[in-house]
Amino acid sequence: MNPLPPVPRPLPVPVPDPRARNVDLDYEGMHALVADLVLPGDASMYVMSAMETSRELIRHSYYRYEFATVAVTHSLFALEHVLTERLAVSKPLQDLIEQAAETGLISAELATRLDRSRQLRDKLAQGAVTSAALGPAGAIEMVRTVFDAVSLLLRPPPAAEATPAYMSGEQTEERLARLWEEHRRALYPDSFRGVDIEGVELILLDADVAGLVHSELNGGLDDNGIAILWACIADLDKIESLINSEYCASYFTKLRTMAKLAAARHIPTAT
């Protein structure tokens, strides 16, 4: 006869780190501290994830002081990724920041502030400082600088802003292929597994659109596939404003963009 499993002990309640008491009196105050760190909606899922994690690390430094310094170093993953893509080069972060300033993508003053965060990361890697180097107040300023820089770098260049909204078939295919590769690497938001909104099962919608886009890129959709794709777009339109998670909302916004690009290739050209 198998005995009943032991009753698990309740998890201990998190205890505030006394080193963070000089910032806010309670955990709710940490929410206000990071409230203005808004994730850029047009970033890749990798960049969104890195930035959201850095913001949440600051919030939770109320319970673990070292999280504040880690938040700064983690935010640099997003900065380095965006700079590498925007400059189309692979260099150390210091060189990327300098090149971005030299080409006018960011100001010299912003480059100096970003380099302070880079120096902190390097000192941490070299053992010159510990993860307790910064408190939440110092970390929030450095992470805010990275958020500002990423938002600035993600703006389209002037030439792109003048590009007509209607792209050629070749441009559409290239963008669709790029979005598809980004989607394949993106992590589905775990907290939305098994969730439906307005009768739409999110994870099934994600799978349907992914399958249809894959078929479009590998031979093209038939009439039935196109009809299903437009039905999926209608569902994406319906749920987009109802998702209450920034990461999940961004995930499905990008999915909607990808679906519309695939469908647009089947809209007859006006004559």
Side-chain angles (χ1 to χ4, degrees):
M1 181 176 179
N2 294 326
L4 292 174
V7 178
R9 296 180 180 178
L11 293 173
V13 177
V15 177
D17 193 316
R19 295 170 292 176
R21 287 178 181 169
N22 63 334
V23 179
D24 290 286
L25 296 177
D26 55 29
Y27 180 59
E28 290 300 318
M30 301 300 288
H31 295 269
L33 189 67
V34 300
D36 64 339
L37 296 181
V38 179
L39 301 173
D42 49 353
S44 69
M45 297 309 299
Y46 174 85
V47 171
M48 289 280 288
S49 177
M51 295 176 74
E52 185 172 32
T53 299
S54 66
R55 184 184 64 190
E56 294 309 301
L57 282 166
I58 291 178
R59 193 198 307 271
H60 293 292
S61 65
Y62 179 77
Y63 295 111
R64 184 67 184 182
Y65 190 80
E66 283 81 359
F67 286 177
T69 299
V70 179
V72 175
T73 61
H74 201 85
S75 71
L76 294 178
F77 295 152
L79 176 66
E80 188 165 3
H81 187 84
V82 171
L83 281 171
T84 298
E85 285 198 339
R86 187 67 192 270
L87 294 169
V89 294
S90 181
K91 294 181 177 180
L93 181 56
Q94 181 177 4
D95 295 338
L96 290 171
I97 293 172
E98 290 175 356
Q99 185 171 336
E102 289 169 0
T103 56
L105 289 177
I106 59 176
S107 67
E109 187 269 337
L110 179 56
T112 299
R113 288 191 285 137
L114 291 171
D115 199 56
R116 291 195 194 106
S117 298
R118 193 272 310 168
Q119 291 176 39
L120 173 65
R121 183 197 66 178
D122 290 353
K123 288 178 181 177
L124 191 64
Q126 295 158 7
V129 297
T130 71
S131 294
L134 283 178
I140 189 68
E141 292 306 318
M142 286 188 165
V143 171
R144 182 179 290 113
T145 297
V146 173
F147 269 65
D148 291 344
V150 168
S151 296
L152 180 64
L153 289 163
L154 287 174
R155 293 177 188 170
E161 292 174 347
T163 301
Y166 299 99
M167 298 183 292
S168 70
E170 183 178 354
Q171 289 173 315
T172 301
E173 183 149 359
E174 287 176 359
R175 189 180 179 204
L176 180 60
R178 177 174 57 80
L179 288 174
W180 169 245
E181 288 304 316
E182 287 183 3
H183 183 76
R184 289 179 59 200
R185 295 192 298 268
L187 296 177
Y188 184 86
D190 278 336
S191 60
F192 283 80
R193 293 184 185 277
V195 172
D196 74 85
I197 297 177
E198 294 290 316
V200 177
E201 186 83 17
L202 298 190
I203 198 165
L204 294 180
L205 178 60
D206 175 52
D208 287 344
V209 173
L212 291 163
V213 170
H214 181 262
S215 296
E216 174 63 18
L217 289 169
N218 291 272
L221 293 169
D222 58 19
D223 290 345
N224 184 56
I226 295 167
I228 296 172
L229 180 59
W230 279 110
C232 289
I233 291 170
D235 284 341
L236 287 164
D237 289 342
K238 180 165 64 172
I239 68 167
E240 185 178 24
S241 63
L242 303 176
I243 298 174
N244 59 4
S245 160
E246 283 185 89
Y247 180 84
C248 187
S250 174
Y251 183 95
F252 277 92
T253 295
K254 292 179 188 300
L255 187 71
R256 177 172 170 267
T257 300
M258 187 170 65
K260 286 196 168 185
L261 277 174
R265 306 201 316 174
H266 298 279
I267 298 175
T269 305
T271 57

